[in-house]
Amino acid sequence: MTSLSDASVSTDRTPSEDPVLRGTNQSGMRAQNERLVLTLVRQHGALAKSDIARMTGLSAQTVSVIMRALEQDGLLERGTPQRGRIGQPSIPMSLAAEGALFFGLKIGRRSADLMLVDFLGRVMRLERQVYRYPTPGAVVDFVASSLPRLIADLPEHLRGRIGGLGVAMPFQLWNWVQSIGAPQSEMDAWQHRDIQAELAALSGLPVFVQNDATAACGAELVFGTGERPKDFLYFYFGTFIGGGLVLNGQLFTGRSGNAAGVGPIPVPGPDGQTRRLLDVASMSALATAMEAAGESSDHLWAQHEEWRVSPAVLDAWLDGAAHGLAHAILSAAALIELEAVLIDGWMPKAIRAALTTRTHDALHALDLAGIDAPAIRQGTVGANARVLGAAAIPLSHRYLIDQNAPNRDTWSRF
């Protein structure tokens, strides 16, 4: 197999030289502080040294050393000096888009996406493949053919800043053969292939694997815009429906990494019979309804900008999905105090908005006695949340901390 290093990706910066992964005790403390500064700037936008000092309790001298080092490493860049205050003008520092690059791979039940993103989460390159069902061999071949194209015209100095490959995929794919109509013998290969090791050997990069819906939720945390609730439940509509859970500003993955796997939650179906949430609130449920009505659903998997669905079929699906979501949210809110619920998916923005509105109405039509109903909001990342979330995994591993808000008792000093 051809690795990225064989494809002329620069290796001029080793992990031990990484600006946030240096060795020795003192520099280890400095690395922690650098992560904290990068996390704050990512959360709040451009910040001056005085802002960082005020938020963390670190001395002005310490903050100056940290931010100077991050600027020299190309991770922060200076903004326009802000005048009008007493003393020297403050200079806001923001994340440098080219400070670090990451690959994200989404392995879906009907398609695979491979994306290169910059430090801000902006898409630089994207390759996509649609298939009937996923097999390990097909996915590895897709990555092997796509990686060279993604870096073909990338400047040499940027190739050395590619920091890792994150993989977002459904866990236990071999258990979904009936739902996706795949041969059991081919899907069983997922039990015996070490996809993480194969992709690491292929790319020459550190590889991280996470459940696809959990990764999508992570994308909301790292790259999302607007207000970030401290505690929220996240739903992502793909072939099936998946979820993620954020508690106290942290992505909660659980013991097996599959926490908030909302698909199997029992909810009332349109006929009053108990169904799994994924049977009423997923794109596969919509596709089944479309095929039953004589409408082709093939275009759903190829793109997300436009759904060509008859109003009757779409309206029935929206109502059923919103009803199912409302019952699932009620069950979750009875166990966990949720500030908000976010809804996103591989769908047009107008349909996501309609689904969010109907879910809010369906929830408030239920008996909410004793329940502090969470706000129902649209996700802010959009259809590519899974692959962006995949890229966010190595980014978070290398450059962010495991807390969402600063607590002065936890800051390291040097």
Side-chain angles (χ1 to χ4, degrees), residues 18-37:
D18 189 284
V20 192
L21 294 177
R22 301 185 183 95
T24 79
N25 290 337
Q26 184 174 2
S27 59
M29 294 170 63
R30 179 179 298 176
Q32 176 68 0
N33 284 333
E34 290 174 343
R35 288 176 185 268
L36 296 173
V37 169

Side-chain angles (χ1 to χ4, degrees), residues 79-83 89-92:
T80 303
Q82 304 297 304
R83 306 182 185 277
S90 63
I91 301 175

Side-chain angles (χ1 to χ4, degrees), residues 19-20 22 26-27 29-41 49 52-53 56 58-76 93 411-414:
V20 192
R22 301 185 183 95
Q26 184 174 2
S27 59
M29 294 170 63
R30 179 179 298 176
Q32 176 68 0
N33 284 333
E34 290 174 343
R35 288 176 185 268
L36 296 173
V37 169
L38 290 172
T39 300
L40 285 173
V41 175
K49 295 174 185 177
I52 297 291
T56 64
L58 293 170
S59 70
Q61 181 180 4
T62 295
V63 172
S64 180
V65 171
I66 294 170
M67 299 188 80
R68 188 183 309 118
L70 292 173
E71 183 183 11
Q72 291 174 348
D73 288 325
L75 296 172
L76 290 180
M93 303 288 285
W411 300 100
S412 304
R413 290 169 171 80
F414 64 91

